Amino acid sequence: MTRISKPIEILLVEDNPGDVRLTREALYDARVNNSLHVVNDGVEAMAFLHREGQYADAINPELILLDLNLPKKSGVEVLAEIKADEILRRIPVVVLTTSHAEQDIVRSYNLHANAYVVKPVDLEQFITVIKSIEGFWLEVVRLPLDDKQ
Amino acid sequence: MSNTSIDILLVEDNPGDVRLTMEALHDANVPNTLHVVNNGVEALAFLRREGQYKGELIPELILLDLNLPRKSGAEVLAEIKADDKLRRIPVVVLTTSQAEQDVVRSYNLYANAYVVKPVELEQFISVVKSIENFWLEVVRLPPEEKQ
């Protein structure tokens, strides 16, 4: 199932530089060729997905990892906008957050988050979780192809 | 995560696939209870606790075949994801179909994940174990709707 020629494009929406770095390292070692794009707030995330401004040439990601607690526009707002968009809603969104709050979990699933994952504080566990996301979403799941525009 | 067993609903009409899924989940690290229905009409009756399913629990995870008798998996998926009480439940589509239109339609109907069933037995079990690892061990599943 490995795709050598074309990497799987992943968009990480995360404002914490430490979490960005750990995610990058965990995915760098992944068995499946992937390319990680990072934006640091919700407004940038939507600009990337709509290919606006500096993101005019951005590639449509095949998977989105979304923090909930983001500057400028919250992860919940980003999720709601993606899942209400005819073109974007097919892209799986994995919420990756420190929040254990039941209301965040329920609200995310009700807004059609594809999965809700709590970020472990412990470094080793954080990497294990990213590798598990990689193992399922890049190796087992059939991702939707980029919409022909 | 609660220490009680996770309730999973498998909607599958192929007895061989039911058996393999059951065996793969039986060995899981996380205690789970697999409920099985064999067609789309039964699936919705189970989820809405109608008729013979009156006393049933609402599952925390649904594994849904697409090619089902009486009501298709796509119809079941659309009804679950349009229902305010049910739509929070993650639905993993588990199908033999590799057709791009089935993949896109399922995600557009808010399937949580689309997984192609391998024909080969060992690979089939490995896929179910991977679903188990991610959804039962890593994901935070939503709590049941308060009645």
Side-chain angles (χ1 to χ4, degrees), chain A residues 22 45-47 49 53 69 106 109 111 126 137:
Chain A
L22 284 178
M46 292 318 300
L49 291 168
N69 189 10
V106 171
Y109 281 112
L111 288 172
F126 185 97
W137 290 95

Side-chain angles (χ1 to χ4, degrees), chain A residues 39-122:
Chain A
V39 292
N40 308 118
D41 67 61
V43 170
E44 293 289 307
M46 292 318 300
F48 186 101
L49 291 168
H50 290 306
R51 302 175 184 181
E52 290 163 357
Q54 64 174 118
Y55 302 110
D57 296 325
I59 280 172
N60 262 357
E62 290 159 278
L63 178 66
I64 300 170
L65 306 179
L66 179 68
D67 189 16
L68 285 187
N69 189 10
L70 291 169
K72 288 170 128 184
K73 179 178 277 193
S74 76
V76 166
E77 287 173 277
V78 171
L79 176 61
E81 287 188 35
I82 291 170
K83 293 302 183 182
D85 186 296
E86 289 297 315
I87 304 290
L88 300 176
R89 66 177 168 161
R90 68 179 63 180
I91 307 171
V93 177
V94 176
V95 169
L96 192 56
T97 173
T98 50
S99 169
H100 284 82
E102 197 163 286
Q103 71 171 53
D104 284 334
I105 298 169
V106 171
R107 189 166 52 172
S108 296
Y109 281 112
N110 279 343
L111 288 172
H112 302 296
N114 293 72
Y116 188 103
V117 175
V118 175
K119 280 184 212 170
V121 182
D122 173 75

